[in-house]
């Protein structure tokens, strides 16, 4: 196998000019066979490609072509996570699918540009050969986001940050969605509640988050979801300073399980409101493994509406994540001649399922 591959590599010595000479056609004709096939008859294009294959010509140099046209033919997706996160986290997977669909419709490629949430490295952004960026849920004042804005290419922000003007945005009203969740739990009678949230800063903290840390969170989505819970429970007379909030830096079911364990070890709560489904699914597992009944003793809620949440009958907020990705791609790739930035807010839906119910001792129990 190795010898065969080496043989194929060693035969690729033909150039566009030598291929044109072999065929007795112009170099433009050879180029059109790859880049503008509609300019050639099917028979001529097939003859060019068959001869190219026989001589070992690999096609036009994509680097040279991008230098000439100043187009990379790809969209860059910037996210502050490891590369594997885009294929492991169910929300990221749905978003990536939607963005990929938009790229497919446009004939564009997709380049993932992952950067560490704990160490800013703007070099990755500077090196990315893309025609535009979709920025996926970045923290406030991130150096990588600043590097994106310095590039002379269009930018679409999904979810966060929102402090910079003149860029297109796609998102949801996280605050209003969580107000609805708080009203749902308060309407069931819950007043002793706890919260599990995703990371609030690029500095790792796996523990209780003070009100000050919540209000100054660098991740706007989490800041808004917590403020929504705060407003909704305040309507029911709950003092937010008495509500324990546990933060987890990593976003996983195991993080949700350990967060629920930490919360329940110190606080007697009747409901755990989580700012993501993954955290909620982990919390659900720990609550049951600790011998507590859901929702008779502890209600658990999430946010996102991932498929696993439906299977677990988790009460959650469903957001249209795939549509987010597609809309972000379409805004980036189909700009037309418009000069003003656009903001798309997509709808959410509260799904009350089997993991939420009245607290112990409530009337009718």
């Amino acid at each position: 196998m190795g010898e065969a591959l080496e043989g194929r590599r060693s035969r690729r010595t033909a150039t566009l000019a030598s291929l044109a000479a072999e065929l007795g056609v112009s170099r433009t004709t050879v180029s059109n066979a790859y880049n503008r096939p509609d300019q050639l008859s099917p028979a001529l294009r097939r003859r060019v490609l068959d001869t190219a294959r026989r001589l070992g010509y690999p096609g036009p140099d994509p680097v040279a072509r991008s230098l000439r046209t100043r187009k990379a033919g790809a969209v860059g997706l910037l996210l502050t996570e490891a590369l594997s996160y885009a294929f492991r986290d169910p929300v990221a997977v749905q978003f990536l699918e939607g963005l990929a669909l938009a790229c497919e419709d446009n004939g564009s490629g997709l380049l993932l540009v992952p950067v560490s949430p704990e160490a800013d490295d703007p070099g990755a952004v500077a090196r990315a050969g893309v025609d535009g960026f979709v920025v996926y849920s970045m923290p406030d004042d991130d150096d990588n986001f600043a590097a994106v804005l310095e590039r002379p290419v269009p930018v679409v922000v999904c979810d966060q940050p929102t402090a910079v003007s003149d860029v297109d945005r796609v998102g949801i009203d996280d605050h209003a969605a969580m107000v609805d969740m708080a009203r749902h739990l308060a309407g069931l009678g819950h007043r002793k509640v706890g919260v599990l949230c995703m990371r609030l800063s690029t500095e790792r903290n796996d523990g209780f988050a003070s009100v000050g840390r919540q209000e100054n969170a660098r991740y706007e989505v989490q800041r808004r979801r917590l403020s929504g819970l705060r407003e909704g429970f305040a309507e029911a007379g709950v003092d937010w300073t008495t509500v324990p909030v546990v933060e987890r830096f990593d976003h996983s079911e195991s993080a949700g399980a350990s967060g629920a364990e930490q919360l329940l070890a110190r606080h007697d709560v009747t409901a755990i409101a989580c700012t993501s489904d993954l955290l909620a699914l982990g919390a659900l597992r720990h609550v049951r493994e600790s011998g507590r009944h859901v929702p008779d003793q502890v209600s658990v809620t999430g946010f996102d509406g991932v498929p696993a949440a439906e299977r677990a009958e988790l009460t959650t907020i469903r957001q249209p994540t795939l549509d987010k990705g597609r809309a972000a791609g379409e805004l980036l790739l189909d700009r037309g001649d418009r000069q003003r930035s656009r903001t798309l807010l997509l709808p959410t839906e509260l799904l009350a399922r089997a993991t939420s119910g009245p607290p112990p001792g409530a009337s009718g129990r």
Side-chain angles (χ1 to χ4, degrees):
M1 176 66 74
E3 293 180 358
L5 290 174
E6 184 62 33
R8 271 186 283 178
R9 282 197 294 268
S10 65
R11 288 190 289 105
R12 292 189 175 185
T13 57
T15 65
L16 186 146
S18 65
L19 178 58
E22 172 76 13
L23 289 163
V25 299
S26 69
R27 285 184 291 181
T28 299
T29 297
V30 174
S31 178
N32 284 343
Y34 290 90
N35 301 318
R36 302 178 65 190
D38 59 304
Q39 299 297 305
L40 306 182
S41 68
L44 177 55
R45 182 170 186 261
R46 174 51 52 196
R47 187 160 69 90
V48 171
L49 297 179
D50 287 346
T51 304
R53 189 176 299 108
R54 176 171 57 82
L55 296 179
Y57 176 65
D61 184 347
V63 175
R65 182 176 184 274
S66 65
L67 289 173
R68 184 174 65 256
T69 64
R70 296 188 176 274
K71 291 291 185 180
V75 168
L77 173 62
L78 183 67
L79 66 161
T80 51
E81 300 291 346
L83 183 60
S84 59
Y85 183 86
F87 303 95
R88 184 180 67 248
D89 179 89
V91 177
V93 168
Q94 290 179 333
F95 180 84
L96 188 61
E97 180 182 357
L99 179 56
L101 289 170
C103 289
E104 286 177 5
D105 291 342
N106 188 261
S108 297
L110 180 60
L111 176 67
L112 302 187
V113 187
V115 292
S116 170
E118 298 179 89
D120 290 334
D121 177 22
V125 171
R127 293 188 298 269
V130 297
D131 299 319
F133 282 96
V134 172
V135 176
Y136 182 53
S137 205
M138 300 284 288
D140 295 344
D141 303 321
D142 189 277
D143 287 348
N144 296 285
F145 182 53
V148 165
L149 296 178
E150 291 174 358
R151 296 278 302 268
V153 295
V155 177
V156 176
V157 172
C158 182
D159 291 334
Q160 58 188 359
T162 63
V164 179
S165 59
D166 299 327
V167 297
D168 291 335
R169 305 182 190 284
V170 178
I172 60 173
D173 191 335
D174 293 278
H175 177 93
M178 273 306 207
V179 170
D180 288 344
M181 181 61 78
R183 288 171 176 166
H184 167 70
L185 289 171
L188 291 170
H190 292 281
R191 299 296 184 271
K192 298 165 62 177
V193 297
V195 177
L196 294 185
C197 72
M198 295 167 63
R199 75 172 72 113
L200 301 177
S201 171
T202 54
E203 298 175 354
R204 181 176 287 271
N205 175 52
D206 290 309
F208 289 90
S210 67
V211 173
R213 182 174 175 84
Q214 297 169 39
E215 293 175 341
N216 294 296
R218 288 187 65 192
Y219 286 90
E220 185 175 349
V221 165
Q222 294 303 299
R223 193 166 67 237
R224 287 178 177 273
R225 291 182 188 179
L226 290 174
S227 70
L229 289 172
R230 179 175 185 167
E231 178 180 321
F233 282 120
E235 293 175 355
V238 176
D239 180 358
W240 188 253
T241 62
T242 68
V243 176
V245 176
V246 172
E247 176 185 355
R248 280 296 180 265
F249 190 85
D250 294 325
H251 187 217
S252 64
E253 286 192 34
S254 61
S258 67
E261 181 179 17
Q262 186 176 26
L263 175 64
L264 293 173
R266 290 183 51 181
H267 296 274
D268 179 24
V269 299
T270 62
I272 302 176
C274 304
T275 63
S276 81
D277 283 349
L278 272 188
L279 293 180
L281 291 168
L284 198 61
R285 185 181 72 205
H286 172 74
V287 169
R288 287 168 171 162
E289 289 177 350
S290 69
R292 298 174 174 89
H293 294 283
V294 178
D296 295 341
Q297 292 176 284
V298 181
S299 290
V300 178
T301 66
F303 194 114
D304 286 324
V306 301
E310 182 176 3
R311 293 192 294 270
E313 297 186 85
L314 177 71
T315 293
T316 189
I317 299 289
R318 179 165 60 195
Q319 62 166 320
T321 310
L322 187 144
D323 291 341
K324 267 188 183 180
R326 185 190 285 273
E330 290 174 348
L331 279 178
L332 189 75
L333 294 165
D334 187 21
R335 300 182 62 82
D337 58 356
R338 62 186 171 87
Q339 300 299 316
R340 294 184 178 181
S341 59
R342 293 182 59 190
T343 296
L344 296 180
L345 278 183
L346 303 180
T348 60
E349 180 183 8
L350 171 63
L351 302 175
R353 297 187 178 123
T355 64
S356 61
S363 59
R365 293 296 295 268

